[in-house]
Amino acid sequence: MTAAPGRTGTEGGNAAPQLRQAAAGAVLVLLALLLWAKRDFVSSWFATSYTATIELTTRSERDDARIQRAFASAQAARPGGATLELIPGLRQIRDSAVHVPGPSRAEAIAAAQALSQAIVTAFDAEGPGRLDVRVRQRAYPAAGPTTGAVGTVLAWGTPVLALAGLALLGIGWRDWPAGADRSRRTVLFAAFAALAFVISPLVMPGWLLMALFAMAIPGAIAGLAVYKMQQVRRAAHWPSAQGRIVRSTMRAVRQRHAGEATTVGNVPDVEYVFSVGGVEYRGNRIGIGEIPAGSPQAEAALERYKVGRTGPVFYNPDKPEEAVIERDPPAPAAIVYGIAATVILLGLAIVVAFTRASAIIDWLQPQFPPGAVVPGVLFFAAAGLVMSLFLVANLRTAMAAARWPTATGTILSSVAEPHRILASRGQGQTVTVWSPVVEYSYRVQDRDYHGTRLAFGADVAGAQARAEATVARYPAGRTVTVHFDPANPSSAVLEPHVAFAWWTLLLAVAFFAAALFFSGWRG
C-alpha cells in the first residue's frame, strides 16, 4: 500500500492559541513602529516647561546690532531666561527669533508678549527704524531631564517591543498545529507582513527604512540558518524506520534568475522507500538542508547512498511523508549560530559605514593631497580591487581546467536567449540583451551530467548577433570535448580559458587610474 499525498497524522488541529499569539505579535510590532515614529511627541507629554517664540523682522543688516541692544535692554528689565537667535541670510530683510520659556503654554506665550513689547520700546528709543514683531500663538515643550529620560526609554524600548512582537509571530508560525489549515496560516501572516510594509514608510524615517532594506539580505541569510537549525532540532526527536535506496542518480536542474541567462546544474536524485504502520512511503530528501547544484557534496551523497543500500529513515510522526535519511547539522550548532551572528554584524557594519560615510570621509580627507575627492577614490579603488580579484580567481581556475581530464559530450540545445536588464541611462528603463545558452551532456564513471559553462569569467550579454555567432559554433547534436573537474565532475567547461580577460584587465586598470586621478596625486 502506498500513502496518499497530503496525508497527516492529525486532522483539524486547533490553531486558535497560535492565532492569538500571532495577532498579539502583530499588534506589538505596529505599536513599536508607532511609538518610534512619535517618540518626540510622546516624550513631550512629560515636559515641565514650554517655549514660546517671538519673530522679529527688520529691513537693514545694520539693525542686527540694534536688535541685540534692544533685546539686552528688555531682558535686563524683564529677566526670564529668554534667548535671541539671529537667523543668517543674504536678503535685505533680516529675520531674528527670541525664545521665551515658561512653566506652562499660556505663561510662556504671556511672557513672550510682554517681552516683545519691551523689545519694541527699546528698539524705537534708538531712533527711526522699522521692526515687525509677531508672537506665535503656540508654545512647544522644552527638552528637559524628564522628556530626555522618556525619549531614551522609547528609543531603546521600541526596538525591544518590536523584537518581542516578531518573536510572538515566529512562535505562532512555528507552533501552528500540523492538522490545522496551513493555507490559512500563510494568508494571515502575509496579511500581517503587507500591513507592516504599508505602514512602515508612513511612520519610519527614511534612513531607518534604507537600513532595513540593506539588512534584508543578511537578515534572510541569518534567518535561514536559524530556521534550518530549528528544523534539525525538531528532526532530532523523530522516530526512525528501516528504508532502502531505490534510485541514486544525478539530475539536471535548470535555473533562470531575473536579468540572467538560463544555467544548468546537477543535483543528487536519491529516492528511498520505508514503511510506517504498514503503509509504504517514498522520500527523496537527503537532509534538512539542500545540496547546492554542482557542489562536491552532490558526488559525496551519491557515493553514500547507492541503489540497494538499507538504513534508517527519520520521519515526522504527524506527517510520515516528511522524512530524511540524514538529520545531523552540517556543522555544530554553535558554529551555525556564530555564522548567522557574524552575517548580521557584517550587515550592521556596512549600514553604519554608509550612515557615517560623511564622518569617515572627513576623517580620511587630511590623508590625501588638497583637492582630492575621497568618495571617488574609495569607489574606484574598491571597483578596481574587485575586478582584479575576479580576474585572478578565474585565471587560476582556467589554468587548472586546462589540465583537467576530458570526456566526450553532446550538445543538447543551443539557443540565443533574450532577457531584459536595467538600462544604463536609468529612470527604470530596461533593454533587451542576448546570451548564448548552450546545454551539453557528458558521462563520467557511469553517471550522466549536464552543463552550460562555455568559458570562465564574466558572462557578458550583448547584441543578438554576437550571441547567435556563439550558438552557431555549437549546433545541437554536435560532439564536443568537455573538460571536467576530477574532484567534482559536475564542474565542467568547454573552453578552458577566461572570456573577455583583456577587457576585464583594462577595466580594472581604468578603475585604478580613476582612483589615482581623484586622489589628487599628480606625481
Side-chain angles (χ1 to χ4, degrees), residues 229 329 331-342:
M229 288 305 299
I335 294 179
V336 175
Y337 288 126
I339 292 174
T342 301

Side-chain angles (χ1 to χ4, degrees), residues 38-340:
K38 302 298 181 182
R39 62 189 185 278
D40 292 336
F41 175 71
V42 173
S43 62
S44 70
W45 297 347
F46 301 89
T48 57
S49 64
Y50 296 83
T51 300
T53 301
I54 307 170
E55 296 177 346
L56 307 175
T57 303
T58 59
R59 296 296 187 274
S60 172
E61 184 178 354
R62 292 172 300 182
D63 288 333
D64 289 351
R66 187 174 175 181
I67 285 287
Q68 293 179 17
R69 292 192 299 270
F71 171 75
S73 176
Q75 180 74 347
R78 306 180 63 88
T83 58
L84 172 65
E85 177 188 5
L86 293 175
I87 302 174
L90 300 177
R91 301 183 307 162
Q92 183 177 0
I93 297 177
R94 314 292 292 177
D95 295 315
S96 305
V98 177
H99 306 290
V100 184
S104 67
R105 297 179 189 271
E107 291 177 281
I109 294 174
Q113 290 173 338
L115 184 61
S116 67
Q117 295 174 0
I119 292 174
V120 170
T121 301
F123 184 89
D124 291 342
E126 293 195 15
R130 180 176 174 180
L131 173 63
D132 295 329
V133 178
R134 186 174 76 91
V135 178
R136 293 183 184 174
Q137 295 305 303
R138 183 175 181 180
Y140 293 90
T146 304
T147 56
V150 173
T152 301
V153 170
L154 291 175
W156 290 96
T158 50
V160 174
L161 192 64
L163 289 175
L166 292 174
L168 285 176
L169 284 169
I171 293 172
W173 177 279
R174 184 195 64 187
D175 295 342
W176 195 274
D181 186 1
R182 294 299 179 96
S183 62
R184 184 185 178 192
R185 178 185 72 171
T186 303
V187 171
L188 289 173
F189 278 81
F192 291 150
L195 184 61
F197 184 79
V198 171
I199 292 178
S200 296
L202 302 178
V203 299
M204 296 175 66
W207 69 267
L208 184 57
L209 278 176
M210 294 302 297
L212 290 177
F213 275 114
M215 288 297 297
I217 294 179
I221 295 174
L224 180 62
V226 172
Y227 174 70
K228 289 298 183 181
M229 288 305 299
Q230 293 297 324
Q231 285 190 316
V232 169
R233 290 180 58 186
R234 186 167 63 98
H237 302 287
W238 287 354
S240 64
Q242 193 70 4
R244 178 172 55 86
I245 305 297
V246 296
R247 184 174 70 242
S248 178
T249 185
M250 199 68 77
R251 176 169 55 89
V253 292
R254 291 164 181 80
Q255 298 176 327
R256 184 177 185 181
H257 303 289
E260 298 181 4
T262 300
T263 59
V264 177
N266 302 284
V267 297
D269 185 11
V270 176
E271 185 179 12
Y272 46 88
V273 296
F274 62 102
S275 297
V276 176
V279 179
E280 182 181 279
Y281 294 87
R282 288 177 177 264
N284 54 22
R285 288 184 65 188
I286 296 177
I288 298 299
E290 304 296 333
I291 297 178
S295 68
Q297 290 89 336
E299 295 291 330
L302 294 183
E303 290 298 323
R304 291 195 304 272
Y305 300 108
K306 296 182 178 181
V307 174
R309 175 180 172 176
T310 59
V313 175
F314 306 97
Y315 62 91
N316 183 350
D318 296 326
K319 191 178 180 181
E321 60 265 30
E322 183 181 354
V324 295
I325 51 180
E326 293 179 358
R327 59 181 181 181
D328 294 330
I335 294 179
V336 175
Y337 288 126
I339 292 174

Side-chain angles (χ1 to χ4, degrees), residues 252-433:
V253 292
R254 291 164 181 80
Q255 298 176 327
R256 184 177 185 181
H257 303 289
E260 298 181 4
T262 300
T263 59
V264 177
N266 302 284
V267 297
D269 185 11
V270 176
E271 185 179 12
Y272 46 88
V273 296
F274 62 102
S275 297
V276 176
V279 179
E280 182 181 279
Y281 294 87
R282 288 177 177 264
N284 54 22
R285 288 184 65 188
I286 296 177
I288 298 299
E290 304 296 333
I291 297 178
S295 68
Q297 290 89 336
E299 295 291 330
L302 294 183
E303 290 298 323
R304 291 195 304 272
Y305 300 108
K306 296 182 178 181
V307 174
R309 175 180 172 176
T310 59
V313 175
F314 306 97
Y315 62 91
N316 183 350
D318 296 326
K319 191 178 180 181
E321 60 265 30
E322 183 181 354
V324 295
I325 51 180
E326 293 179 358
R327 59 181 181 181
D328 294 330
I335 294 179
V336 175
Y337 288 126
I339 292 174
T342 301
V343 170
I344 290 292
L345 291 176
L346 287 175
L348 288 173
I350 293 173
V351 169
V352 170
F354 274 99
T355 56
R356 301 286 298 170
S358 59
I360 295 173
I361 290 172
D362 291 341
W363 177 73
L364 290 174
Q365 190 70 53
Q367 315 302 322
F368 290 87
V373 182
V374 176
V377 176
L378 297 179
F379 174 81
F380 286 108
L385 181 61
V386 169
M387 293 298 295
S388 299
L389 293 176
F390 175 79
L391 179 59
V392 170
N394 279 283
L395 285 173
R396 292 183 60 182
T397 305
M399 292 174 63
R403 298 188 296 269
W404 285 352
T406 60
T408 300
T410 303
I411 302 298
L412 300 179
S413 65
S414 182
V415 296
E417 186 177 85
H419 50 93
R420 300 190 68 83
I421 62 173
L422 287 175
S424 58
R425 56 182 174 272
Q427 299 179 348
Q429 299 180 7
T430 60
V431 295
T432 300
V433 294

